[in-house]
Amino acid sequence: QIDKYLYAMRLSDETLIDIMARFRREMKNGLSRDFNPTAAVKMLPTFVRSIPDGSEKGDFIALDLGGSYFRILRVKVSHEKKQTVQMESEIYNTPEDIMHGSGTRLFDHVAECLGDFMEKQQIKDKKLPVGFTFSFPCRQSKLDEGILITWTKRFKASGVEGADVVRLLNRAIKKRGDYDADIMAVVNDTVGTMMTCGFDDQRCEVGLIIGTGTNACYMEEMRHIDLVEGDEGRMCINTEWGAFGDDGSLEDIRTEFDREIDRGSLNPGKQLFEKMVSGLYMGELVRLILVKMAKEGLLFEGRITPELLTKGKFETKHVSAIEKSKEGLNKAKEILTRLGVEPSHEDCIAVQHVCTIVSFRSANLVASTLGAILNQLRDNKGVGRLRTTVGVDGSLYKMHPQYARRLHKTTRRLVPDSEVRFLLSESGSGKGAAMVTAVAYRLSEQHRLIDETLAEFKLTHEQLLQVKKRMRAEMEAGLKKKTHETAKVKMLPTFVRSTPDGTENGDFLALDLGGTNFRVLLVKIRSGKRRTVEMHNKIYAIPIEVMQGTGEELFDHIVTCISDFLDYMGIKGARLPLGFTFSFPCKQTSLDAGILLNWTKGFKATDCEGEDVVYLLREGIKRREEFDLDVVAVVNDTVGTMMTCAYEDPNCEIGLIVGTGSNACYMEEMRNIEMVDGEQGRMCVNTEWGAFGDNGCLDDIRTIYDKAVDDYSLNAGKQRYEKMISGMYLGEIVRNILIDFTKRGFLFRGQISETLKTRHIFETKFLSQIERDSWRALLGSPERKEVLVRGGQGFLKGNERIKKDFFQHFSAFPGEKGEHRKGPQQCCALRVLRDPPSPTAIVPFRSFSRIMHQTVKDLAPNCDVTFLLSEDGSGKGAALITAVGCRLRDAEQ
C-alpha cells in the first residue's frame, strides 16, 4: 500500500539513466561561456589545479565555515621519514542571530574565533598561510578570492552576497589588529574533502558531500572550462549541483512533498535537487508524508498530534535511527511515541518503509548525478574503463546505516565501466583547506625557484646588444687575413658572386646533404616572360653507420642514390650540370672546390676533414663507372636558401637557417674579404656562426644546461652557439632541465625514470607540438607518451601549470617587458638587411619566428627587413647557383 502511495519516489534505472544524461547536459551548459549565465548548475572554477603529490610541508591554519558550527584547525605537514600530518582543532558555535544578522557581524565573529585559536596555539606573532573552507556557492577568478553567489543552509547574513568573502574576512582581521593572516585559498567543503582524500589516495579526483547539504566537485580538463583562460592541465570544478532542477528540468520527478518542502524553505525555487536528497530536508520530507498518510487514515488510526504537525520535529537523524536493521522498529516506536502518536507494530513497519523509500531515493539521485561526473572523467581520459576514487564526507553518508551501501551499489550499476573506490574523509574538509593551501604554497615556492632557475634564459635588450657587438667583432676577425686562422666565426668565402638575374635557363641536378636525409633533385629552369622552375626530387636515408663510417662509404652511398635517381628520371645518359648543397663548414678556393673543415650534426665519416668534397664526389662517380656529371658548384645550405629566395625577391642578400643546425650567409663587399683577391663587386660569405662563442666570448650567458649538453656532445667545445639555439640541441637542453627539476622535487614526484635518462629522448619537435597543440598533442602519440608517461613520470598528474610555464621559457614565448628569451633572439645578433629563413625548427615554432622578427627590429632599428620563407629548401638554391655559375662561365667563354 505504501509502495503504491509513494510510487513517484521509486525511480527505475531507466529514469536514473535519463537523469544522469540530463545532469551531463547541465554540466556542459555550466562549463560553457555562452550558456553559463542561465545555467542552473554553475560549474564554478575553483583555481585548484593539483591534488597533493606527497611533497607538501609546512605549518598551516584552516577555517571551516559551513553550518551552525565553525571549526579552526592547525595543520602541520612534515617530512621526516615519510609525510605526516598533525592536526589540532577547536570548534566554535555560530549562533542563529549571527547567521541571520549582518555580514560584518558574521566575519567579526570568525575573526574573533581565529584570534582566540591563535592565542591558545601561541602563534599570534606568526603570519601562517590560511586556507578558508567556505561551504557556499562562490564565483572565483583566483584561488584567494570567493564572491558569494547565494547563501544556502539557513545562512542569511546581509551584505555578503556579491562580495568577496576573503576581503570581508581580511577587513575583520585588520580591524582587530592583534594578529595577521595570509589567506592563500578559499575552497568549498567539497573541494576540501577531495583534497583531504587526495592526500591519502592520489587517484582521488572527485569530492562528494552528502550531509546537511549536498554537492560535488571533480578535476575537469582545462580545455572544457570556457570561463578560465588556457587549455593546459586540469582544474577542480565545484558543480554546485544542489541547484540542479532549478530551471524545471526535474519537474517530472518532483512530488507534492518536494514542492511543499520548497514552499516552506528560506529560499523557495532554489536548490531543488538539494531539497530532494540532503540531510537538512530528509526528516521534514518524511514528516510531511506521515502527516498526509495519517490524515487519510493510513497511519496511527488517523490520529494527528500537534508535535507531528510541527515543522522540524521529525529530524534526519530519526530516519537514520529507524532504518537500523535490528533496533530500527524499537527506535521508530520510541520516536513516534515522543511525537504523541501511539504507534502500532504495523505503524512502525510502515514508517520504517517510508524512511527507506525517501533515503533510497536520495541515494539513487546522488548516484545518477555522480555517474554523470564519472562518465565525464572517463570520456576526458579517453579510456574504456575508468579507475578513480571519490572522496566522501557528510553526516547523512556517515551516519545513515544503509545510505553508503545503497549509493555504492547504484553507482556501480549505473556506470558499470567505472571502477570506483569510495574513500571516507576522516578529517573533514578543514584538513582539505589546509592541503589546498599547502599545494598552493608548494606550487608558489616551486614557481619561484623555477623562475629563478630559468631567469638565465631571459636575456635583456642590453645583453643582446652585447651579443650583437661581439658577433660583429667575430665577423671582422674572420674576414681579415691576419686573424682569420684563429677566428672561430670563419666567414668563409663561397665564390658565389651574384644572385639570379632572371636569365638562367636549362636543366640542372642538385644534391642536398645536411642531415639524416639526403635529397637528389632535377630542376628545370625556364627564363622569358613567364619564368618557371619545375622540380622533381627523391629523398634517401643515410644510415647512422654510413654517417659515422668511412668517407669512401659515405660518398659511394651518395653516388648510389644519384644513380637510382637518374634511372628513376630516365636521364642517365645526359651529362647535366650539378650543384652540391653541402651543409657543413667548408673552406672554398673556387665555386667548385670546398675543403671540409669539420663535421657537424652527428656526422663523423673518416678521411673527409681537410679534403675537397667535390673531389671525393667525383672520385665516387668514377668508381661507379655508370654516368658522368658536370659538378659546377659546391654550396652551403644557407647559401642555397639565399639563392632560392633571391630568385623570388632580387633584394634578398642574406640566408638564414634555424633548423637541426643554425647558420647564416650574406653578400659582403669584396673590399672587406681579405682572403680573396680583388676589390670589385660582392661575394657571398658563409659565416659558420655555429662556432660563435667557441673562444669563450659567450660564457657569461651560457647556462649549466648548455654546458652539460656541450660536454656530452660528439664535438665538445665546438659549435657552442649552435648548441644554444638549434633544433638538434633544444630538446636535449630541456631534458637536462627536466632531470634537474625532478632531482629538486619540482616534477614527477622526484622520480627520474630510466627513459628520461636517455640522451636525445626528448626531441625538439615536442616543444613545437607543445606550443602549437598543447600537451594533449604531445601525449597523443604512443612514442611521446612512452617518454613521459610509461617512463615513470606520471606526467599527466598535476604539474601541468609548471610544465607549461617551463616550456614557455623554451618555445620562445614573449618575455616580460624589456626581456627576451634566449631561443630566437640571438639568431638576430648579426646586422640584418634582408633575411629569408629556411628552418625545420622555425616553421612549427610560431612564436619563435614572430619574436625573432620583432627582436631584429629592436636590435637593428635602422634596417627595413623583410623575412621571406624558403618554400623549396636549399636544393633549388644549389641548382640556381649552378645556373648562375653556368651563365657566368658561358659569358667568360
Side-chain angles (χ1 to χ4, degrees):
Q1 197 176 3
I2 290 168
D3 283 348
K4 195 174 175 183
Y5 193 79
L6 296 178
Y7 175 77
M9 282 194 166
R10 302 194 63 127
L11 305 173
S12 67
D13 277 5
E14 189 182 353
T15 302
L16 294 176
I17 288 166
D18 181 43
I19 292 166
M20 194 157 71
R22 293 183 211 179
F23 187 66
R24 188 81 184 272
R25 284 194 295 274
E26 292 290 325
M27 288 169 67
K28 193 175 178 183
N29 288 342
L31 290 170
S32 156
R33 182 180 281 108
D34 296 335
F35 295 105
N36 177 272
T38 55
V41 179
K42 284 298 179 191
M43 303 295 284
L44 303 169
T46 66
F47 293 83
V48 171
R49 298 170 186 266
S50 172
I51 57 172
D53 72 352
S55 67
E56 291 76 19
K57 56 185 175 183
D59 198 351
F60 307 96
I61 298 286
L63 313 179
D64 193 353
L65 177 66
S68 51
Y69 293 101
F70 169 53
R71 199 157 68 116
I72 306 179
L73 305 89
R74 184 181 182 186
V75 181
K76 293 181 190 174
V77 186
S78 61
H79 276 276
E80 271 132 29
K81 287 179 183 171
K82 64 172 189 172
Q83 194 175 40
T84 55
V85 177
Q86 284 179 286
M87 290 198 301
E88 296 173 72
S89 69
E90 288 273 339
I91 293 175
Y92 297 87
N93 190 31
T94 310
E96 194 89 6
D97 61 317
I98 285 178
M99 288 164 68
H100 294 171
S102 71
T104 304
R105 272 192 73 201
L106 173 64
F107 285 97
D108 284 349
H109 173 68
V110 173
E112 185 185 334
C113 296
L114 180 56
D116 176 72
F117 181 79
M118 292 178 83
E119 183 84 56
K120 286 176 180 171
Q121 291 286 320
Q122 298 180 341
I123 51 172
K124 262 193 168 177
D125 57 331
K126 294 181 181 178
K127 187 180 180 180
L128 294 182
V130 177
F132 186 13
T133 300
F134 188 71
S135 309
F136 305 93
C138 283
R139 195 174 299 286
Q140 291 183 261
S141 62
K142 50 188 178 176
L143 190 58
D144 60 352
E145 171 197 89
I147 311 294
L148 178 65
I149 295 171
T150 180
W151 283 117
T152 57
K153 305 176 208 170
R154 297 205 307 268
F155 273 72
K156 270 289 178 185
S158 61
V160 184
E161 290 179 356
D164 177 9
V165 295
V166 175
R167 188 175 289 175
L168 293 174
L169 179 55
N170 273 329
R171 193 186 296 158
I173 291 168
K174 199 171 181 182
K175 191 162 66 178
R176 288 178 59 85
D178 58 337
Y179 67 90
D180 201 0
D182 181 12
I183 301 170
M184 289 190 74
V186 58
V187 298
N188 186 277
D189 54 347
T190 324
V191 181
T193 296
M194 182 188 77
M195 294 296 275
T196 299
C197 295
F199 182 77
D200 299 314
D201 180 348
Q202 282 160 2
R203 279 189 190 279
C204 183
E205 50 193 349
V206 181
L208 175 62
I209 299 274
I210 316 162
T212 309
T214 183
N215 195 12
C217 68
Y218 71 102
M219 295 302 289
E220 178 58 271
E221 298 292 321
M222 280 292 292
R223 67 182 186 269
H224 294 150
I225 308 171
D226 284 357
L227 300 171
V228 181
E229 290 299 317
D231 280 348
E232 308 312 320
R234 302 200 297 171
M235 182 182 284
C236 181
I237 289 290
N238 165 21
T239 65
E240 286 299 337
W241 76 13
F244 179 32
D246 287 8
D247 57 356
S249 61
L250 294 179
E251 285 311 298
D252 58 326
I253 63 161
R254 288 178 73 224
T255 65
E256 59 181 294
F257 308 110
D258 296 312
R259 291 185 174 90
E260 194 172 340
I261 285 275
D262 180 44
R263 282 195 297 273
S265 69
L266 284 169
N267 55 350
K270 293 182 177 177
Q271 300 294 105
L272 297 184
F273 181 72
E274 184 169 79
K275 287 168 185 170
M276 294 169 80
V277 303
S278 77
L280 186 60
Y281 304 98
M282 188 176 285
E284 185 62 9
L285 261 176
V286 170
R287 186 189 70 81
L288 292 174
I289 293 166
L290 298 184
V291 167
K292 187 171 185 194
M293 288 180 73
K295 279 180 179 175
E296 294 180 13
L298 298 172
L299 280 177
F300 319 132
E301 296 176 347
R303 287 188 303 276
I304 299 171
T305 64
E307 290 86 354
L308 189 60
L309 289 171
T310 305
K311 184 179 174 181
K313 274 289 185 182
F314 197 98
E315 298 175 50
T316 300
K317 66 181 181 183
H318 297 150
V319 177
S320 298
I322 289 168
E323 283 197 68
K324 286 183 179 173
S325 52
K326 288 181 181 173
E327 61 209 74
L329 291 175
N330 290 336
K331 287 285 181 188
K333 186 164 188 177
E334 191 181 303
I335 291 159
L336 293 169
T337 302
R338 282 206 302 269
L339 291 173
V341 296
E342 294 171 17
S344 65
H345 182 67
E346 287 72 24
D347 286 336
C348 291
I349 291 171
V351 169
Q352 188 181 55
H353 198 48
V354 169
C355 290
T356 299
I357 289 171
V358 171
S359 65
F360 218 131
R361 182 185 72 154
S362 168
N364 284 344
L365 286 171
V366 170
S368 62
T369 46
L370 177 61
I373 289 175
L374 295 172
N375 282 339
Q376 178 85 349
L377 284 172
R378 191 193 68 228
D379 291 350
N380 285 350
K381 292 180 181 184
V383 293
R385 186 167 182 79
L386 175 72
R387 282 187 68 198
T388 194
T389 297
V390 177
V392 199
D393 200 359
S395 52
L396 184 57
Y397 181 87
K398 285 184 189 176
M399 309 306 292
H400 190 287
Q402 316 294 337
Y403 196 96
R405 184 180 57 80
R406 289 171 187 163
L407 173 67
H408 302 172
K409 196 173 177 181
T410 308
T411 302
R412 286 170 183 140
R413 200 170 66 244
L414 294 178
V415 280
D417 43 11
S418 293
E419 193 178 309
V420 186
R421 180 188 181 210
F422 289 86
L423 181 60
L424 184 63
S425 169
E426 300 291 352
S427 315
S429 53
K431 175 183 170 184
M435 294 317 300
V436 171
T437 308
V439 169
Y441 189 73
R442 164 173 64 80
L443 293 176
S444 163
E445 189 63 11
Q446 284 179 351
H447 275 287
R448 188 184 66 76
L449 292 170
I450 284 169
D451 286 344
E452 206 174 86
T453 304
L454 296 180
E456 290 182 69
F457 288 92
K458 292 181 182 179
L459 299 180
T460 63
H461 185 73
E462 289 68 32
Q463 283 176 303
L464 290 171
L465 286 173
Q466 273 299 311
V467 173
K468 173 181 163 181
K469 187 179 172 185
R470 292 172 202 174
M471 179 64 186
R472 187 66 185 266
E474 292 295 312
M475 288 166 66
E476 286 171 6
L479 288 170
K480 291 190 186 328
K481 194 176 274 185
K482 192 167 76 175
T483 50
H484 178 82
E485 282 305 313
T486 56
K488 294 301 179 186
V489 179
K490 282 299 180 189
M491 305 296 288
L492 303 170
T494 65
F495 294 84
V496 172
R497 297 171 187 269
S498 172
T499 53
D501 68 359
T503 63
E504 293 74 21
N505 198 71
D507 293 355
F508 305 91
L509 274 181
L511 312 180
D512 193 354
L513 176 67
T516 51
N517 289 327
F518 166 60
R519 209 157 55 119
V520 186
L521 306 92
L522 173 64
V523 182
K524 298 182 177 185
I525 302 172
R526 300 293 178 262
S527 58
K529 284 185 180 177
R530 293 187 61 194
R531 295 190 309 165
T532 60
V533 177
E534 183 186 326
M535 294 200 301
H536 305 271
N537 73 85
K538 205 169 175 186
I539 295 172
Y540 299 90
I542 300 184
I544 190 83
E545 60 271 17
V546 173
M547 287 168 65
Q548 298 181 5
T550 67
E552 196 169 291
E553 287 169 343
L554 174 61
F555 281 91
D556 282 350
H557 178 73
I558 290 168
V559 171
T560 301
C561 297
I562 296 170
S563 175
D564 176 78
F565 181 76
L566 294 175
D567 282 337
Y568 172 69
M569 295 303 298
I571 52 172
K572 213 165 206 175
R575 187 176 186 267
L576 294 176
L578 179 140
F580 186 11
T581 302
F582 189 73
S583 308
F584 304 93
C586 282
K587 182 175 182 179
Q588 287 187 249
T589 52
S590 66
L591 188 58
D592 65 347
I595 311 298
L596 176 63
L597 298 178
N598 57 276
W599 283 118
T600 56
K601 306 176 202 169
F603 276 74
K604 275 286 182 186
T606 59
D607 307 319
C608 294
E609 291 180 355
E611 298 294 328
D612 176 8
V613 294
V614 175
Y615 171 77
L616 294 175
L617 177 61
R618 284 172 177 153
E619 287 299 300
I621 292 169
K622 276 183 195 172
R623 283 194 298 276
R624 185 87 185 182
E625 295 181 341
E626 274 186 25
F627 56 87
D628 195 15
L629 296 171
D630 175 17
V631 184
V632 175
V634 58
V635 297
N636 185 276
D637 54 347
T638 324
V639 184
T641 294
M642 182 187 75
M643 295 296 276
T644 300
C645 293
Y647 188 72
E648 306 297 329
D649 179 352
N651 289 319
C652 181
E653 49 193 5
I654 297 177
L656 171 65
I657 297 278
V658 193
T660 309
S662 181
N663 195 14
C665 69
Y666 69 105
M667 296 301 290
E668 178 60 88
E669 299 297 320
M670 280 295 295
R671 66 178 180 271
N672 295 331
I673 308 172
E674 294 184 7
M675 302 302 294
V676 181
D677 291 336
E679 298 210 349
Q680 296 305 309
R682 302 200 297 171
M683 182 181 285
C684 180
V685 168
N686 166 20
T687 66
E688 286 300 338
W689 77 9
F692 179 33
D694 287 5
N695 58 0
C697 71
L698 294 180
D699 283 359
D700 58 327
I701 62 166
R702 288 175 77 225
T703 68
I704 55 169
Y705 309 108
D706 296 311
K707 288 167 187 165
V709 167
D710 181 36
D711 289 344
Y712 288 98
S713 67
L714 284 169
N715 55 348
K718 293 180 179 177
Q719 300 294 107
R720 287 180 176 178
Y721 181 66
E722 183 170 80
K723 287 168 187 169
M724 293 166 80
I725 64 170
S726 76
M728 186 160 182
Y729 300 99
L730 274 188
E732 190 59 7
I733 293 172
V734 169
R735 189 185 69 86
N736 275 277
I737 297 173
L738 289 180
I739 286 173
D740 182 38
F741 283 3
T742 306
K743 281 178 182 171
R744 290 159 72 182
F746 301 161
L747 294 173
F748 318 134
R749 304 192 187 117
Q751 303 296 311
I752 302 174
S753 72
E754 290 306 312
T755 314
L756 194 59
K757 289 177 188 173
T758 308
R759 286 180 58 226
H760 302 294
I761 194 77
F762 199 100
E763 299 174 51
T764 299
K765 67 180 179 183
F766 291 178
L767 272 73
S768 56
Q769 286 162 341
I770 290 163
E771 179 184 347
R772 187 183 66 231
D773 299 325
S774 84
W775 282 93
R776 290 187 305 286
L778 177 68
L779 295 163
S781 92
E783 56 159 330
R784 286 161 264 164
K785 212 162 193 173
E786 175 77 23
V787 173
L788 301 179
V789 183
R790 288 186 59 198
Q793 300 314 322
F795 223 69
L796 288 164
K797 291 201 175 182
N799 295 320
E800 278 85 358
R801 195 173 173 193
I802 288 176
K803 285 175 283 192
K804 176 71 174 180
D805 287 357
F806 161 66
F807 280 106
Q808 283 179 342
H809 284 273
F810 269 88
S811 46
F813 280 69
E816 287 89 36
K817 193 175 180 184
E819 294 182 323
H820 302 279
R821 307 213 189 276
K822 186 177 288 182
Q825 289 82 354
Q826 291 182 348
C827 302
C828 309
L830 177 63
R831 181 171 58 87
V832 177
L833 300 172
R834 293 279 190 271
D835 196 347
S838 168
T840 54
I842 212 171
V843 174
F845 275 72
R846 294 178 200 168
S847 58
F848 191 111
S849 52
R850 186 180 73 245
I851 293 174
M852 190 187 76
H853 298 174
Q854 184 56 50
T855 312
V856 170
K857 212 172 181 179
D858 295 344
L859 297 178
N862 298 324
C863 300
D864 180 15
V865 186
T866 300
F867 289 88
L868 180 61
L869 186 63
S870 169
E871 301 291 353
D872 300 314
S874 53
K876 175 181 170 183
L880 285 164
I881 291 168
T882 306
V884 170
C886 288
R887 170 168 60 81
L888 295 176
R889 186 172 67 183
D890 292 347
E892 283 171 19
Q893 289 172 355

